[in-house]
Amino acid sequence: MAKGLVEAKDCPATGSVHAAMLAVRAVLMFSTAPPASTYSKIKPAVNQIETHPYFQRDSLVKFCQKHGICVTAHTPLGGAAANAEWFGSISCLEDPVIKTLAEKYNKTVAQLVLQWGVQRNTAVIPKSSKVERLRENFQIFNFTISDEDMEKIKTIDRKCRTNQPAKFWGIDLYA
C-alpha cells in the first residue's frame, strides 16, 4: 500500500499522499523515523477518519496533528438518521449535553458539533443535499465553544463507531 501511495504522489494529479481510515499503527508506517522509514519516505498529508462526539479518537487525532497530518472528519455529525436506519446506531445529535450546549449558544445541534470539530483542529466534511442545511453548516464561524464546554463534550465520548461498512458490505474492515 505504501509503495502505491508514494508512486501516486509523483503523479501531478495527486501531488501528496492522502490516506483514509488509518490507525496510529498504519500512520507509523509512513513516518520518516526508523524503522518506519524502511516502508516509506513520505508521510500522508491527510488522514480521513470517522470522528464525532461519540467517537472522538483523541489519541489518533493528537498523533496525526503532532506529526503534521491533517485529520479530516468524515461522518462529523455521527451519521444521524441514515446510520440509525441502516445500522441501529445512536446519534450524538440526540445527546442531552449537545442539545443543552446548542441552546446555550443559540445554534442547532449540528452547528455545535461541527464547531466542536473545527475547534479540535480537524477538517469537517458533513454530507447534505439540502440547500438549507448546507447554508446552516457554514454558520459556525461566528461563535466559539468555551474550554469548559469543550471539556463537557469530551465526557460524552462513547467510543462508538456509527459508520459500520462491515455490516453494509459484509466484511470487517477494521479487523
mmCIF file of all heavy atoms in Angstrom, residues 152-175:
data_model
loop_
_atom_site.group_PDB
_atom_site.id
_atom_site.type_symbol
_atom_site.label_atom_id
_atom_site.label_comp_id
_atom_site.label_asym_id
_atom_site.label_seq_id
_atom_site.Cartn_x
_atom_site.Cartn_y
_atom_site.Cartn_z
ATOM 1 N N LYS A 152 -16.921 19.396 28.572
ATOM 2 C CA LYS A 152 -18.190 18.687 28.746
ATOM 3 C C LYS A 152 -18.430 17.727 27.583
ATOM 4 O O LYS A 152 -18.889 16.595 27.778
ATOM 5 C CB LYS A 152 -19.362 19.678 28.843
ATOM 6 C CG LYS A 152 -19.441 20.413 30.151
ATOM 7 C CD LYS A 152 -20.604 21.383 30.149
ATOM 8 C CE LYS A 152 -20.622 22.221 31.413
ATOM 9 N NZ LYS A 152 -21.652 23.270 31.369
ATOM 10 N N ILE A 153 -18.138 18.182 26.379
ATOM 11 C CA ILE A 153 -18.330 17.320 25.201
ATOM 12 C C ILE A 153 -17.366 16.138 25.261
ATOM 13 O O ILE A 153 -17.725 15.018 24.885
ATOM 14 C CB ILE A 153 -18.175 18.125 23.892
ATOM 15 C CG1 ILE A 153 -19.275 19.191 23.798
ATOM 16 C CG2 ILE A 153 -18.218 17.200 22.677
ATOM 17 C CD1 ILE A 153 -19.107 20.193 22.670
ATOM 18 N N LYS A 154 -16.170 16.363 25.766
ATOM 19 C CA LYS A 154 -15.191 15.274 25.891
ATOM 20 C C LYS A 154 -15.738 14.137 26.760
ATOM 21 O O LYS A 154 -15.434 12.969 26.531
ATOM 22 C CB LYS A 154 -13.891 15.818 26.473
ATOM 23 C CG LYS A 154 -12.737 14.854 26.397
ATOM 24 C CD LYS A 154 -11.458 15.452 26.950
ATOM 25 C CE LYS A 154 -10.780 16.241 25.861
ATOM 26 N NZ LYS A 154 -9.409 16.643 26.234
ATOM 27 N N THR A 155 -16.588 14.467 27.737
ATOM 28 C CA THR A 155 -17.096 13.448 28.659
ATOM 29 C C THR A 155 -18.153 12.535 28.041
ATOM 30 O O THR A 155 -18.482 11.507 28.638
ATOM 31 C CB THR A 155 -17.697 14.094 29.927
ATOM 32 O OG1 THR A 155 -18.880 14.819 29.568
ATOM 33 C CG2 THR A 155 -16.701 14.997 30.624
ATOM 34 N N ILE A 156 -18.688 12.892 26.871
ATOM 35 C CA ILE A 156 -19.755 12.049 26.298
ATOM 36 C C ILE A 156 -19.229 11.043 25.278
ATOM 37 O O ILE A 156 -20.005 10.327 24.654
ATOM 38 C CB ILE A 156 -20.895 12.897 25.680
ATOM 39 C CG1 ILE A 156 -20.431 13.669 24.443
ATOM 40 C CG2 ILE A 156 -21.514 13.813 26.734
ATOM 41 C CD1 ILE A 156 -21.555 14.307 23.650
ATOM 42 N N ASP A 157 -17.906 10.967 25.104
ATOM 43 C CA ASP A 157 -17.321 10.003 24.166
ATOM 44 C C ASP A 157 -17.748 8.594 24.561
ATOM 45 O O ASP A 157 -17.556 8.169 25.695
ATOM 46 C CB ASP A 157 -15.789 10.113 24.193
ATOM 47 C CG ASP A 157 -15.107 9.283 23.121
ATOM 48 O OD1 ASP A 157 -15.809 8.588 22.337
ATOM 49 O OD2 ASP A 157 -13.867 9.331 23.050
ATOM 50 N N ARG A 158 -18.355 7.883 23.631
ATOM 51 C CA ARG A 158 -18.798 6.502 23.885
ATOM 52 C C ARG A 158 -17.915 5.493 23.160
ATOM 53 O O ARG A 158 -18.192 4.305 23.201
ATOM 54 C CB ARG A 158 -20.244 6.322 23.432
ATOM 55 C CG ARG A 158 -21.222 7.149 24.216
ATOM 56 C CD ARG A 158 -22.629 6.815 23.812
ATOM 57 N NE ARG A 158 -23.587 7.613 24.564
ATOM 58 C CZ ARG A 158 -24.884 7.409 24.520
ATOM 59 N NH1 ARG A 158 -25.376 6.443 23.787
ATOM 60 N NH2 ARG A 158 -25.697 8.184 25.220
ATOM 61 N N LYS A 159 -16.921 5.999 22.429
ATOM 62 C CA LYS A 159 -16.061 5.143 21.604
ATOM 63 C C LYS A 159 -16.940 4.277 20.687
ATOM 64 O O LYS A 159 -16.721 3.091 20.510
ATOM 65 C CB LYS A 159 -15.123 4.318 22.466
ATOM 66 C CG LYS A 159 -14.194 5.221 23.276
ATOM 67 C CD LYS A 159 -13.202 4.483 24.090
ATOM 68 C CE LYS A 159 -12.286 5.338 24.916
ATOM 69 N NZ LYS A 159 -12.385 6.738 24.946
ATOM 70 N N CYS A 160 -17.939 4.948 20.137
ATOM 71 C CA CYS A 160 -18.968 4.275 19.354
ATOM 72 C C CYS A 160 -18.874 4.664 17.885
ATOM 73 O O CYS A 160 -19.210 5.780 17.499
ATOM 74 C CB CYS A 160 -20.341 4.660 19.902
ATOM 75 S SG CYS A 160 -21.704 3.953 18.978
ATOM 76 N N ARG A 161 -18.418 3.729 17.078
ATOM 77 C CA ARG A 161 -18.381 3.936 15.628
ATOM 78 C C ARG A 161 -19.814 3.830 15.115
ATOM 79 O O ARG A 161 -20.506 2.857 15.373
ATOM 80 C CB ARG A 161 -17.508 2.859 14.984
ATOM 81 C CG ARG A 161 -17.355 2.990 13.500
ATOM 82 C CD ARG A 161 -16.564 1.820 12.910
ATOM 83 N NE ARG A 161 -15.290 1.603 13.537
ATOM 84 C CZ ARG A 161 -14.173 2.271 13.253
ATOM 85 N NH1 ARG A 161 -14.199 3.215 12.343
ATOM 86 N NH2 ARG A 161 -13.056 2.004 13.866
ATOM 87 N N THR A 162 -20.279 4.862 14.413
ATOM 88 C CA THR A 162 -21.636 4.812 13.885
ATOM 89 C C THR A 162 -21.665 4.432 12.419
ATOM 90 O O THR A 162 -22.687 3.990 11.911
ATOM 91 C CB THR A 162 -22.358 6.160 14.057
ATOM 92 O OG1 THR A 162 -21.643 7.167 13.352
ATOM 93 C CG2 THR A 162 -22.474 6.535 15.515
ATOM 94 N N ASN A 163 -20.564 4.612 11.746
ATOM 95 C CA ASN A 163 -20.465 4.252 10.335
ATOM 96 C C ASN A 163 -19.956 2.814 10.285
ATOM 97 O O ASN A 163 -18.793 2.562 10.600
ATOM 98 C CB ASN A 163 -19.492 5.213 9.636
ATOM 99 C CG ASN A 163 -19.474 5.027 8.142
ATOM 100 O OD1 ASN A 163 -20.100 4.136 7.609
ATOM 101 N ND2 ASN A 163 -18.733 5.873 7.467
ATOM 102 N N GLN A 164 -20.817 1.893 9.940
ATOM 103 C CA GLN A 164 -20.499 0.467 10.019
ATOM 104 C C GLN A 164 -20.476 -0.186 8.640
ATOM 105 O O GLN A 164 -21.374 -0.953 8.283
ATOM 106 C CB GLN A 164 -21.523 -0.248 10.906
ATOM 107 C CG GLN A 164 -21.554 0.228 12.334
ATOM 108 C CD GLN A 164 -20.357 -0.258 13.133
ATOM 109 O OE1 GLN A 164 -19.643 -1.165 12.729
ATOM 110 N NE2 GLN A 164 -20.123 0.351 14.265
ATOM 111 N N PRO A 165 -19.462 0.090 7.828
ATOM 112 C CA PRO A 165 -19.430 -0.515 6.495
ATOM 113 C C PRO A 165 -19.350 -2.034 6.527
ATOM 114 O O PRO A 165 -19.793 -2.689 5.599
ATOM 115 C CB PRO A 165 -18.192 0.104 5.841
ATOM 116 C CG PRO A 165 -17.386 0.654 6.946
ATOM 117 C CD PRO A 165 -18.325 0.966 8.063
ATOM 118 N N ALA A 166 -18.818 -2.590 7.600
ATOM 119 C CA ALA A 166 -18.736 -4.048 7.692
ATOM 120 C C ALA A 166 -20.131 -4.674 7.647
ATOM 121 O O ALA A 166 -20.337 -5.708 7.025
ATOM 122 C CB ALA A 166 -18.012 -4.463 8.968
ATOM 123 N N LYS A 167 -21.095 -4.020 8.293
ATOM 124 C CA LYS A 167 -22.459 -4.535 8.274
ATOM 125 C C LYS A 167 -23.092 -4.365 6.894
ATOM 126 O O LYS A 167 -23.863 -5.198 6.447
ATOM 127 C CB LYS A 167 -23.312 -3.829 9.333
ATOM 128 C CG LYS A 167 -22.930 -4.180 10.742
ATOM 129 C CD LYS A 167 -23.823 -3.478 11.741
ATOM 130 C CE LYS A 167 -23.406 -3.806 13.157
ATOM 131 N NZ LYS A 167 -24.233 -3.126 14.145
ATOM 132 N N PHE A 168 -22.753 -3.266 6.228
ATOM 133 C CA PHE A 168 -23.343 -2.980 4.920
ATOM 134 C C PHE A 168 -22.711 -3.841 3.828
ATOM 135 O O PHE A 168 -23.386 -4.384 2.971
ATOM 136 C CB PHE A 168 -23.170 -1.491 4.610
ATOM 137 C CG PHE A 168 -23.940 -1.014 3.419
ATOM 138 C CD1 PHE A 168 -25.324 -0.958 3.437
ATOM 139 C CD2 PHE A 168 -23.284 -0.611 2.273
ATOM 140 C CE1 PHE A 168 -26.039 -0.513 2.344
ATOM 141 C CE2 PHE A 168 -23.992 -0.160 1.172
ATOM 142 C CZ PHE A 168 -25.371 -0.105 1.210
ATOM 143 N N TRP A 169 -21.364 -3.949 3.851
ATOM 144 C CA TRP A 169 -20.645 -4.686 2.813
ATOM 145 C C TRP A 169 -20.412 -6.154 3.165
ATOM 146 O O TRP A 169 -20.012 -6.945 2.322
ATOM 147 C CB TRP A 169 -19.295 -4.039 2.536
ATOM 148 C CG TRP A 169 -19.389 -2.670 1.955
ATOM 149 C CD1 TRP A 169 -20.412 -2.140 1.221
ATOM 150 C CD2 TRP A 169 -18.426 -1.625 2.061
ATOM 151 N NE1 TRP A 169 -20.143 -0.834 0.870
ATOM 152 C CE2 TRP A 169 -18.926 -0.507 1.364
ATOM 153 C CE3 TRP A 169 -17.179 -1.528 2.674
ATOM 154 C CZ2 TRP A 169 -18.223 0.686 1.269
ATOM 155 C CZ3 TRP A 169 -16.491 -0.331 2.585
ATOM 156 C CH2 TRP A 169 -17.009 0.756 1.881
ATOM 157 N N GLY A 170 -20.579 -6.496 4.445
ATOM 158 C CA GLY A 170 -20.401 -7.873 4.865
ATOM 159 C C GLY A 170 -18.963 -8.278 5.107
ATOM 160 O O GLY A 170 -18.651 -9.464 5.160
ATOM 161 N N ILE A 171 -18.045 -7.314 5.265
ATOM 162 C CA ILE A 171 -16.655 -7.635 5.565
ATOM 163 C C ILE A 171 -16.174 -6.737 6.697
ATOM 164 O O ILE A 171 -16.616 -5.608 6.841
ATOM 165 C CB ILE A 171 -15.718 -7.453 4.347
ATOM 166 C CG1 ILE A 171 -15.830 -6.040 3.770
ATOM 167 C CG2 ILE A 171 -15.995 -8.490 3.288
ATOM 168 C CD1 ILE A 171 -14.825 -5.723 2.684
ATOM 169 N N ASP A 172 -15.253 -7.262 7.522
ATOM 170 C CA ASP A 172 -14.750 -6.489 8.642
ATOM 171 C C ASP A 172 -13.532 -5.693 8.189
ATOM 172 O O ASP A 172 -12.444 -6.221 8.044
ATOM 173 C CB ASP A 172 -14.375 -7.412 9.806
ATOM 174 C CG ASP A 172 -14.012 -6.639 11.058
ATOM 175 O OD1 ASP A 172 -14.008 -5.383 11.017
ATOM 176 O OD2 ASP A 172 -13.711 -7.286 12.070
ATOM 177 N N LEU A 173 -13.728 -4.402 7.960
ATOM 178 C CA LEU A 173 -12.651 -3.538 7.509
ATOM 179 C C LEU A 173 -11.666 -3.189 8.607
ATOM 180 O O LEU A 173 -10.578 -2.722 8.333
ATOM 181 C CB LEU A 173 -13.237 -2.237 6.942
ATOM 182 C CG LEU A 173 -14.164 -2.382 5.751
ATOM 183 C CD1 LEU A 173 -14.750 -1.030 5.378
ATOM 184 C CD2 LEU A 173 -13.439 -2.976 4.566
ATOM 185 N N TYR A 174 -12.068 -3.366 9.857
ATOM 186 C CA TYR A 174 -11.256 -2.919 10.965
ATOM 187 C C TYR A 174 -10.618 -4.074 11.727
ATOM 188 O O TYR A 174 -10.163 -3.887 12.840
ATOM 189 C CB TYR A 174 -12.096 -2.042 11.903
ATOM 190 C CG TYR A 174 -12.791 -0.931 11.154
ATOM 191 C CD1 TYR A 174 -14.158 -0.981 10.898
ATOM 192 C CD2 TYR A 174 -12.069 0.136 10.656
ATOM 193 C CE1 TYR A 174 -14.788 0.036 10.191
ATOM 194 C CE2 TYR A 174 -12.685 1.151 9.931
ATOM 195 C CZ TYR A 174 -14.038 1.090 9.711
ATOM 196 O OH TYR A 174 -14.651 2.083 8.992
ATOM 197 N N ALA A 175 -10.585 -5.241 11.154
ATOM 198 C CA ALA A 175 -10.009 -6.417 11.821
ATOM 199 C C ALA A 175 -8.515 -6.264 11.974
ATOM 200 O O ALA A 175 -7.854 -5.564 11.286
ATOM 201 C CB ALA A 175 -10.339 -7.689 11.056
#
